[in-house]
């Protein structure tokens, strides 16, 4: 751990009456990867916009490599490279021309620029498509070119705003490799994501941003165990008929969820195994028709929901948010 | 990205800030490629203006003024300059809404480089359009009575018109959506009709006279007409240049101010 390459203190930003950031604190040490995790509208992109000199904070401070990004935006731009949420490459140029253009805009010319561009095309598997207009590229190729563009001039800090949104799984894995490699090489990386798996796989530390505040920060393992303790275990009972469903509800069990189709009841459990045994006993005693009993481990959804509060729970139950699911191991 | 990787992405290359001229030059080149690589853009920039010129000189020319287009050519030229510059508005709007401008703003270049790139490339493109359009008019029998000084003044005026219309369009592109900014070309197509550009004002309906006499296209087109004919521009040069100056200063400073004040998202 070197000194902090990104330092954010008490960052505040409002758009009109909408307070997007309400005092964000975040430090990223040299060579670290930190994932800023949060639902849509949590303030991730605004944080990134301030760090990359695109927006002015209303309060607080942000430094990149020791440079105050608000007071000295020009100097800060020499220290931080950024890739936005959408691929912003020029369709009418070829992949190679896009990178050459980016080199020129970063003050890199001549043989040095040519060498760097060739290197990046190779690294991002775009050499074959280098002379084709970007209009013919797939979404994944554009994203790769976009990331390559932000690496043309090597800056000590790299900020990636949802770098893998919309990428296929193979491209996503490839991009993770590159990001990890850059970090090993000494680049400090802040990336925003909605994908817990991405944060889990890639980040040294995760900061969870919700409604403009950092609500939790730490290693993935620390956050998970914290959530496991909070959420606890649950046992799910699938019933074969409505009479059984109605009966279960009268037994005074610590029910956490019931489904609308009146077949499934989920019960909180201190110890999953003894709860399973108790439930089976109850089923026999009350002559319940049980189709299945299963232990529900906290999912990644639960991590997210536990940390970002109950107000997101309702939304997630309607399954509209693209929060991927998976089991905590 | 699954390919064999001979090198880790790059050694740190200490590269410094880019000078304003170098940044603008790169942005102008970008816009030139945008036009040259697009068949649509080339048609809009060159084929359409020639078509319009042909229509006015060959089809309406005789009926309107009974000459070889001496009356309508200046009007068509100004209309083509406005129409050509108007394509800058959707191009800027596109760059703005796609996040491209934001990306450029994170780079160590002068912030407004991308805007200057749009404006200067548009100006150059429209000067090229003027040459082609006047060439087409000559091919159809148009002859200007201007001497060398008159031509020089005409070239300067065309450049000033192209620059002003381009700044106006670029600034519109910073405010309007891509779709709305496309309608700017209709304004540039339509306003010259309500001027002395194609028919003398006294042939227009009387309720239009007030507007037609006082709108900017009337003195501007009249100035082009007098310079082309080699007659004295006195009386129209003042209002024409005043209009151009005001529009240029307002749209240029407005554009740059909007650009620097616009904070991302």
């Amino acid at each position: 751990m070197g000194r902090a390459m990104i330092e954010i203190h008490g960052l505040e930003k409002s758009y009109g009456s909408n307070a997007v950031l309400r005092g964000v604190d975040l430090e990223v040490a040299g060579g670290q990867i930190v994932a800023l995790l949060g639902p849509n509208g949590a303030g991730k992109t605004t944080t990134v916009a301030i760090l990359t000199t695109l927006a002015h904070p209303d309060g607080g401070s942000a430094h990149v490599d020791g440079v105050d990004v608000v007071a000295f935006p020009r100097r800060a731009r020499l220290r931080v490279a950024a890739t936005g949420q959408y691929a912003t490459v020029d369709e009418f140029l070829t992949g190679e021309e896009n990178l050459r253009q980016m080199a020129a805009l970063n003050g890199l010319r001549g043989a040095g620029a040519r060498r760097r561009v060739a290197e990046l095309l190779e690294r991002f598997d775009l050499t074959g498509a280098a002379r084709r207009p970007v209009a013919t590229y797939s979404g994944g190729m554009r994203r790769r070119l976009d990331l390559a563009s932000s690496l043309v001039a090597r800056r000590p800090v790299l900020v990636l705003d949802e770098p893998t949104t919309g990428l296929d799984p193979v491209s996503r894995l490839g991009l993770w490799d590159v990001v990890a490699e850059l970090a090993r090489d000494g680049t400090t990386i802040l990336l925003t994501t909605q994908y817990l798996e991405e944060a889990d796989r890639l980040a040294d530390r995760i900061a969870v941003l919700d409604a403009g505040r950092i609500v939790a920060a730490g290693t993935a393992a620390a956050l998970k165990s914290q959530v496991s303790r909070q959420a606890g275990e649950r046992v799910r009972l699938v019933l074969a008929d409505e009479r059984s469903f109605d009966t279960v509800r009268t037994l005074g069990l610590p029910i956490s969820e019931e489904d609308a189709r009146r077949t499934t009841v989920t019960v909180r459990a201190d110890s999953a195994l003894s709860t399973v045994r108790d439930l089976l006993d109850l089923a026999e005693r009350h002559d319940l028709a049980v189709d299945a009993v299963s232990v529900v481990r906290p999912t990644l959804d639960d991590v997210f929901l536990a940390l970002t509060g109950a107000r997101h729970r309702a939304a997630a139950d309607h399954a509209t948010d693209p929060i991927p699911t998976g089991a905590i191991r | 990205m699954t390919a064999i990787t001979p090198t880790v992405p790059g050694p740190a290359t200490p590269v410094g800030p880019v000078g304003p001229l170098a940044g603008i030059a790169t942005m102008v080149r970008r816009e030139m490629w945008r036009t040259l690589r697009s068949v649509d853009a080339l048609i809009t920039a060159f084929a359409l203006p020639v078509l319009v010129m042909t229509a006015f000189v060959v089809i309406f020319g005789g009926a309107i003024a009974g000459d070889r287009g001496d009356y309508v050519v200046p009007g068509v030229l100004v209309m083509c300059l406005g129409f050509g510059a108007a394509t800058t508005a959707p191009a800027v709007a596109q760059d703005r809404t796609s996040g491209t401008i934001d990306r450029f703003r994170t780079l160590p270049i002068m912030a407004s480089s991308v805007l200057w790139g749009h404006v200067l490339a548009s100006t150059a493109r429209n000067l090229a359009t003027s040459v082609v359009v006047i060439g087409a008019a000559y091919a159809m029998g148009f002859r200007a009575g201007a001497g060398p000084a008159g031509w020089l003044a005409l070239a300067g005026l065309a450049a000033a018109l192209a620059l002003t219309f381009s700044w106006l369009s670029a600034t519109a592109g910073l405010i309007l959506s891509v779709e709305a900014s496309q309608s700017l070309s209709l304004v540039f197509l339509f306003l010259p009709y309500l001027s002395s550009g194609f028919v003398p004002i006294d042939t227009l309906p009387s309720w239009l006279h007030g507007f037609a006499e006082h709108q900017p296209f009337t003195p501007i087109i009249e100035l082009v007409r007098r310079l082309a004919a080699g007659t004295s521009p006195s009386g129209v040069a003042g209002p024409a240049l005043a209009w151009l100056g005001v529009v240029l200063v307002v749209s240029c400073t407005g554009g740059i101010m909007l650009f620097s004040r616009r904070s991302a998202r």
Side-chain angles (χ1 to χ4, degrees), chain B residues 61-248:
Chain B
I64 293 171
D67 55 29
R68 301 147 310 183
D70 293 3
Y71 193 81
V72 292
V73 166
V76 175
L77 178 65
V78 172
M79 188 169 82
C80 287
L81 281 170
F83 175 73
T87 59
T88 301
V92 169
Q94 177 71 41
D95 273 358
R96 190 189 88 231
T97 51
S98 67
T100 306
I101 284 183
D102 277 349
R103 171 163 223 166
F104 287 144
R105 285 161 57 106
T106 68
L107 301 176
I109 52 174
M110 184 177 75
S112 58
S113 300
V114 58
L115 213 51
W116 281 105
H118 275 287
V119 168
L120 295 181
S122 166
T123 304
R125 186 185 67 236
N126 284 296
L127 285 178
T129 302
S130 309
V131 171
V132 171
V133 165
I134 290 174
Y138 257 76
M140 289 178 283
F142 167 76
R143 292 295 176 267
W151 276 108
L152 210 63
L154 264 181
L157 182 59
L161 282 169
L163 184 71
T164 305
F165 293 158
S166 298
W167 260 115
L168 188 63
S169 304
T171 301
L174 286 178
I175 303 165
L176 304 173
S177 69
V178 176
E179 290 76 15
S181 61
Q182 275 161 351
S183 60
L184 189 65
S185 59
L186 289 181
V187 175
F188 279 115
L189 266 183
F190 203 69
L191 272 186
Y193 286 118
L194 307 179
S195 76
S196 65
F198 303 102
V199 290
I201 288 180
D202 52 26
T203 66
L204 293 172
S206 58
W207 55 272
L208 265 175
H209 287 187
F211 178 78
E213 273 162 25
H214 296 101
Q215 71 126 320
F217 279 103
T218 293
I220 288 169
I221 292 172
E222 194 57 39
L223 178 58
V224 174
R225 189 175 287 139
R226 299 234 191 129
L227 288 176
T231 56
S232 164
S234 71
V236 290
L241 297 179
W243 270 115
L244 278 185
V246 167
V247 175
L248 178 62

Side-chain angles (χ1 to χ4, degrees), chain B residues 8-113:
Chain B
V8 173
T13 324
V15 283
V18 178
L21 289 182
I24 291 173
T26 303
M27 291 300 183
V28 169
R29 198 164 342 125
R30 170 173 185 263
E31 291 311 313
M32 293 225 166
W33 281 124
R34 191 206 293 269
T35 302
L36 295 175
R37 292 268 167 86
S38 156
V39 176
D40 284 4
L42 285 175
I43 287 175
T44 310
F46 297 106
L48 229 53
V50 168
L51 217 65
V52 171
M53 181 59 90
T54 310
F56 273 95
V57 174
V58 174
I59 303 172
F60 307 129
I64 293 171
D67 55 29
R68 301 147 310 183
D70 293 3
Y71 193 81
V72 292
V73 166
V76 175
L77 178 65
V78 172
M79 188 169 82
C80 287
L81 281 170
F83 175 73
T87 59
T88 301
V92 169
Q94 177 71 41
D95 273 358
R96 190 189 88 231
T97 51
S98 67
T100 306
I101 284 183
D102 277 349
R103 171 163 223 166
F104 287 144
R105 285 161 57 106
T106 68
L107 301 176
I109 52 174
M110 184 177 75
S112 58
S113 300

Side-chain angles (χ1 to χ4, degrees), chain A residues 15 45 54 77 82 88 90 92 97 101-102 105-108 116 119 123 125 144 146 150 154-155 181, chain B residues 1 5 7-10 15-16 18 30 34 37 98-99 102-109 263-265:
Chain A
Y15 289 104
T45 298
L54 288 175
R77 287 182 198 129
T88 51
D90 285 331
F92 47 90
E97 286 165 346
Q101 176 172 288
M102 209 44 116
L105 293 174
N106 275 291
L108 196 58
R116 185 79 184 124
E119 212 171 86
R123 182 65 187 87
D125 205 13
R144 269 142 58 194
D146 194 46
S150 59
R154 182 72 184 284
R155 308 293 182 198
E181 202 173 280
Chain B
M1 267 185 296
T5 53
T7 44
V8 173
V15 283
V18 178
R30 170 173 185 263
R34 191 206 293 269
R37 292 268 167 86
S98 67
D102 277 349
R103 171 163 223 166
F104 287 144
R105 285 161 57 106
T106 68
L107 301 176
I109 52 174
S263 52
R265 294 167 283 256

Side-chain angles (χ1 to χ4, degrees), chain A residues 159-214:
Chain A
V159 176
L160 305 169
D161 196 7
E162 303 200 359
T164 62
T165 298
L167 278 192
D168 63 75
V170 175
S171 300
R172 177 169 298 166
L173 286 172
L175 195 135
W176 288 352
D177 281 351
V178 174
V179 171
E181 202 173 280
L182 284 164
R184 273 200 300 280
D185 213 34
T187 303
T188 304
I189 295 162
L190 178 71
L191 68 95
T192 73
T193 185
Q194 296 186 20
Y195 302 127
L196 291 108
E197 193 193 356
E198 184 162 286
D200 197 1
R201 290 275 296 267
L202 214 48
D204 299 307
R205 286 196 316 128
I206 297 172
V208 182
L209 187 64
D210 184 46
R213 282 196 189 89
I214 301 285

